[in-house]
Amino acid sequence: MALEFDEQLSRLQKPDRSDMTDKEYALFDKNVKAMLKNWGFINNLFKILPLNAKEYIGFLNLKSSLYNDTCYLTDAQKEMIGVVVSSYNCCHYCLTTHGDNLRGMWKNPGLVDTISHNYRAAKNELSKVDYALCEYAWYVTAHPQEIDQLQVDKLREVGLDDHQILEAAYVAGFFNYTNRWVSTIAPVANPGHFNHNRNFDN
């Protein structure tokens, strides 16, 4: 299935295939095939951001630097940080996609929903490390001007090393970055994200 741009899915104009090089279009089309395989539908953001193809490829490259086999935190920890950040920032679209991803990783939709609403209500269900990462993600999002040595010390106290702490900072910063431009363009959330990765009994 080719990547099409025939739907009005955001506050911005629809992308135009003629504005993209064949190489750019091939990259988007490759991502579409991966989404169809993993989710059974295409994340609407991938139908919107080709409007500025080069900038979106830059975003993909940044994301791939944070999600790869040489990273220091687990992918689930990064998605958890993304859910906490997106919850504070009220980024509806980001919560639908990253909540879906985290449900698939944890196989615990109730816990993910709780974190989406108020991560502190899940304190007894999270490890000390994961709860500390949630606390950090919230703090750096809500009070970036107040970050000091104490925030780093709290992460070290639960056993995180400096590689992991730096990656946590990158990831929290990454999701704050995406929340702001996603909220600006206001993508239409995919209905499939709401019920995907919720039934693991079978």
Side-chain angles (χ1 to χ4, degrees):
M1 177 177 180
L3 182 60
E4 304 292 342
F5 307 111
D6 55 357
E7 302 170 86
Q8 184 60 46
L9 295 169
S10 78
R11 295 179 176 135
L12 305 182
Q13 67 190 57
K14 293 180 285 187
D16 188 331
R17 169 66 181 90
S18 65
D19 292 336
M20 284 176 271
T21 66
D22 290 343
K23 185 177 180 180
E24 290 166 345
Y25 184 79
L27 176 61
F28 295 123
D29 202 42
K30 178 182 177 182
N31 286 324
V32 162
K33 290 180 174 66
M35 281 182 279
L36 286 171
K37 179 181 178 181
N38 294 330
W39 284 337
F41 57 88
I42 304 168
N43 187 312
N44 283 339
L45 207 55
F46 281 73
K47 302 176 185 178
I48 297 166
L49 295 181
L51 179 64
N52 287 15
K54 289 181 175 59
E55 291 172 354
Y56 190 45
I57 290 171
F59 155 71
L60 291 176
N61 290 335
L62 173 58
K63 185 177 181 181
S64 69
S65 75
L66 299 175
Y67 285 81
N68 61 71
D69 294 338
T70 64
C71 289
Y72 302 97
L73 299 175
T74 68
D75 285 352
Q77 286 172 326
K78 294 169 200 170
E79 290 297 294
M80 177 187 71
I81 289 171
V83 169
V84 171
V85 170
S86 300
S87 176
Y88 183 87
N89 287 328
C90 299
C91 185
H92 176 249
Y93 188 88
C94 297
L95 283 170
T96 66
T97 58
H98 296 291
D100 184 351
N101 284 340
L102 189 56
R103 289 193 303 270
M105 293 172 179
W106 276 356
K107 306 292 190 292
N108 189 339
L111 179 56
V112 176
D113 286 351
T114 299
I115 290 174
S116 297
H117 302 148
N118 175 12
Y119 73 89
R120 290 192 173 112
K123 183 175 182 178
N124 293 334
E125 297 182 71
L126 296 171
S127 69
K128 289 183 178 180
V129 169
D130 284 354
Y131 188 75
L133 287 169
C134 287
E135 285 274 86
Y136 167 73
W138 178 87
Y139 198 92
V140 77
T141 301
H143 304 288
Q145 72 278 15
E146 297 177 14
I147 292 292
D148 57 19
Q149 184 66 44
L150 179 60
Q151 309 312 315
V152 174
D153 291 343
K154 286 181 177 180
L155 294 173
R156 284 181 176 152
E157 285 171 5
V158 296
L160 292 168
D161 64 30
D162 285 9
H163 294 291
Q164 293 168 312
I165 292 169
L166 179 57
E167 190 163 272
Y170 274 129
V171 172
F174 172 77
F175 281 109
N176 273 291
Y177 151 70
T178 58
N179 284 174
R180 279 150 179 76
W181 52 258
V182 171
S183 293
T184 298
I185 65 178
V188 175
N190 294 78
H193 281 304
F194 294 100
N195 57 20
H196 191 238
N197 282 327
R198 288 195 176 276
N199 185 358
F200 297 101
D201 293 333
N202 300 323

